[in-house]
Amino acid sequence: KTFERMKEESKHSDNHAMAFRADDPDYLLVGTDGGLYESFDLAENWRFMANLPVTQFYKMAVDDAEPFYNIYGGTQDNATQGGPSRTDNVHGIQNSDWGIILDWDGHQPATEPGNPDIVYAQRQQGYLTRVDRTTGEIIDIQPQAGPGEGPERYNWDAPILVSPHQATRLYFASHRVWRSDDRGDSWQAISGDLTRNQERLTLPIMGQTQSWDNPWDISAMSTYNTITSLAESPLVEGLIYAGTDDGLIQVIEPDTEATNGNNWRTIEVGSLPGVPDGAFVNDIKADLFDADTVYVALDHHKFGEFGPHLLRSRDRGRQWTSMRGNLPDRTLVWRLVQDHARPELFFAATEFGIYFTIDAGSHWTQLQGGVPTIAFRDLAIQRRENDLVGASFGRSFYVLDDYSPLREVSKQQLEQEATLFAPRDAWWYFPRPHLAFEPGRGDQGADHFVAPNPPFGAVLTYHLKDDIATREAVRQEQEKAALEAEKAVAFPGWEAVEQERREPAPSIWLIVRDAEDRIVRRIPGPTDAGFHRVAWDLRYPTPNAVELVEPPPPEWGEPPRGLMVAPGSYQIALAVQTDGKTRMLSEPRRFEVKPLRGGAPNRGATNRGALAGASPEEVAAFWRQYEVAVREHTAMQVTVARLMTRIERMAGVIEHSRVDLLTIDPRFHELRSSILELDGRFNGLRSKSEPGEKAPPTVGDRLFAVSRGVGLSTYGPTASHRKILEIATTEMAALRDELERHERGFSELVRELIAAGAPWLEGEPLP
């Protein structure tokens, strides 16, 4: 009977769903075009669920910012957004890394090659703007009708195109095509009306025309008879294609260009094989390698027809053939992109995920690896990085980092036992802390959204035709087949069973070597059939001693690991190890490790830091010196600990011996006291360390000081770090001499006891 408007401060206003709690009359849960909100005080204040990546993106663009490019997307009722594809912090990509660059609904953006500070963004119905990213200022550059001209009909998602021939040249479209050579400051129409120019209120709705008295609501809808897609050949300047929402494709060639539009050649989409009359042109793409080839994706779902319509013309639109291949029925195709290195490699954004083809559309394969099977409205390739970026309509952005291995995929390659693909060059840097020093959300709680960065280091990709199986697995597979065929399964024999028991698990190894062909690291990889990616973190293996009993994982921080290699050239090879035998599966593949900050201007490395510091080679050389010290120190730590255990267990040897107590006990007591003194000098006095009292620094304390100093920086060792390592090394040499002397004395005493009939002690030679 009565209503009152509730507060929606700091909340999206387009409400679609609401839920309540029976036990709390002040609680509201509301779903909107902007996401999910809850209120605990009956709409006085709202809490936004910021960890739900559910944005609906229409169209997208990527720039060439360095070292990490940005992604921009126009969204359903959530403006035009932009943010980095990767960050240099330890956490990943946070909501705070992203921002709004234009309001209203967002639609197709564009970027200027070579100048990532210029971004074009638009609101619905063609309200085009130019955004200066250095200032954040926005200027409207929408083309306007001239004197005596009717209104411009812009599609809800009007197409914008930056010319591949001139970075400052734009093409934009309403019902006609516009061109600007000055980033939109001025425009010239290069066509007339390229649509059917119908009176849409006379067209049938729900199968018949409607009375004027029936409800009409078109003010917030897309206009009709508009241009939806634009393309210009990257090989022929001025060869332009335009597609419309009412079933037309228009072509103009450079030698026929005219400002009155009379020289555009019209193609009815109904003349294309299998395409319904009036189908909506979702996308047009000019081939990157052949000036006469063009591709088009269309759909007719607004009329209840959901087939995938994907076609190619090799004569600038005069004749067309389907490149649908094996795309499933009822799978709308929204976008098509072509690889810039392999002409036959394409990606298609569809209503149910992303597909790729390596044979120009004869066969399509759906991308897996975590890609949701929902609508992807747009795709873009960042050519410098060979990344494929997909704009989903409801699950935000997805990035396939470095898809270049797909260029090497072929039927012949897939039949090979194994393939190692060329890796991308790797960035050399330390990820910076922000919320904490460890990956993840820090202490922000589960509602803090963090998208993962690409794996740090060198990402290594390989393919195995078959599983690398053990004898046992092979036997079990054969027995399974026999049982399915209703055949008897024989006992394999004791010798075969014992061989299975003794056989070690098979291994795949990715072997990293430096420019001098020295092995740097062996990285394990999955052994099952298929494609795999493994990241090398650019570090040497841990120098820490290996104990016979594996210690528990550390309560804080990460397990021990080595420090990074120096920048330079490296190579990777693939090997398999079965039944103790190792063989190579690939030839080496080379790649570079490049400093992110300084030293790699061709990939946009930034300044190395506020202070110059040592060279990367000097930094890495000191890291190796530190690792040598750690290797020796941890070995001594284990030895001291073992000696402490053995001296305590030696009491049992004496207890069960027949030696004179008056002779042996003083020697044992003196040796035990001396070893306890050594332990105190090596590990510190336990009576002080137990309550946390300060004590003179041990070798371990000094090495920890070095680790803290150089373990998170490429600046290099300071004079203090060099001095601390020198002190630690000197002290360690003296302790080592003393440790070896004590071990000899201990063994001499044990041997005397054993010779006198005492029990044998673990760690000594067999009696």
Side-chain angles (χ1 to χ4, degrees), residues 658-690:
R658 299 189 298 270
V659 297
D660 185 358
L661 295 179
L662 296 177
T663 302
I664 201 65
D665 276 15
R667 291 177 62 190
F668 171 72
H669 179 73
E670 181 182 355
L671 179 61
R672 180 177 181 275
S673 298
S674 181
I675 291 175
L676 288 172
E677 181 68 23
L678 174 64
D679 175 69
R681 291 171 56 195
F682 198 88
N683 293 308
L685 297 178
R686 297 181 185 272
S687 57
K688 278 194 169 184
S689 62
E690 185 175 341

Side-chain angles (χ1 to χ4, degrees), residues 645-647 649-650 653 746 750 754 758-765:
T645 301
R646 294 173 73 201
I647 196 66
R649 295 294 293 154
M650 190 175 181
V653 175
F746 180 89
V750 172
I754 294 174
W760 174 78
L761 180 65
E762 182 182 348
E764 294 299 318

Side-chain angles (χ1 to χ4, degrees), residues 159-178:
I160 181 174
L161 175 69
V162 178
S163 173
H165 300 282
Q166 184 175 321
T168 58
R169 179 181 300 158
L170 304 180
Y171 295 100
F172 194 52
S174 53
H175 57 277
R176 50 184 173 169
V177 178
W178 296 82

Side-chain angles (χ1 to χ4, degrees), residues 476-487:
Q476 291 175 345
E477 192 65 29
Q478 292 171 345
E479 291 177 353
K480 180 182 177 181
L483 289 172
E484 291 175 351
E486 299 183 349
K487 295 181 179 179

Side-chain angles (χ1 to χ4, degrees), residues 122-141:
Q122 57 174 312
R123 305 175 177 99
Q124 64 265 44
Q125 308 235 26
Y127 290 100
L128 182 64
T129 67
R130 187 178 67 229
V131 181
D132 187 331
R133 297 293 279 151
T134 62
T135 64
E137 293 182 352
I138 300 164
I139 184 169
D140 190 279
I141 56 170

